[in-house]
Amino acid sequence: MSDLSNAEKDPADWTTGDEPATGAQESYLHTLAGEAHEDVPDGLTKAEASLKIDELQEKTGRGK
């Protein structure tokens, strides 16, 4: 069973998940990646960016 609430969909289920990441996602990703001393691959989709943000938030302590 998923721990996501009804208000949160899995990024894999997003209808726009295959679209390019938004500018806000890319900006936040680069901020988090800098703090985590990681590189962010170019060309991420919205869904991939969301998952990477979650991963980096865990690493940097900025998680939910």
Side-chain angles (χ1 to χ4, degrees):
M1 178 155 194
S2 174
D3 63 336
L4 296 175
S5 73
N6 288 339
E8 277 186 87
K9 288 178 92 174
D10 184 331
D13 295 333
W14 293 355
T15 58
T16 61
D18 289 335
E19 293 178 5
T22 67
Q25 282 179 308
E26 289 187 4
S27 176
Y28 190 44
L29 267 174
H30 288 285
T31 297
L32 290 170
E35 291 178 12
H37 306 289
E38 289 196 15
D39 291 323
V40 176
D42 291 329
L44 293 179
T45 65
K46 286 181 181 178
E48 291 167 336
S50 179
L51 293 171
K52 189 68 176 174
I53 286 169
D54 288 346
E55 175 189 323
L56 291 174
Q57 283 179 327
E58 291 256 335
K59 287 185 178 181
T60 61
R62 286 187 177 223
K64 300 174 189 174

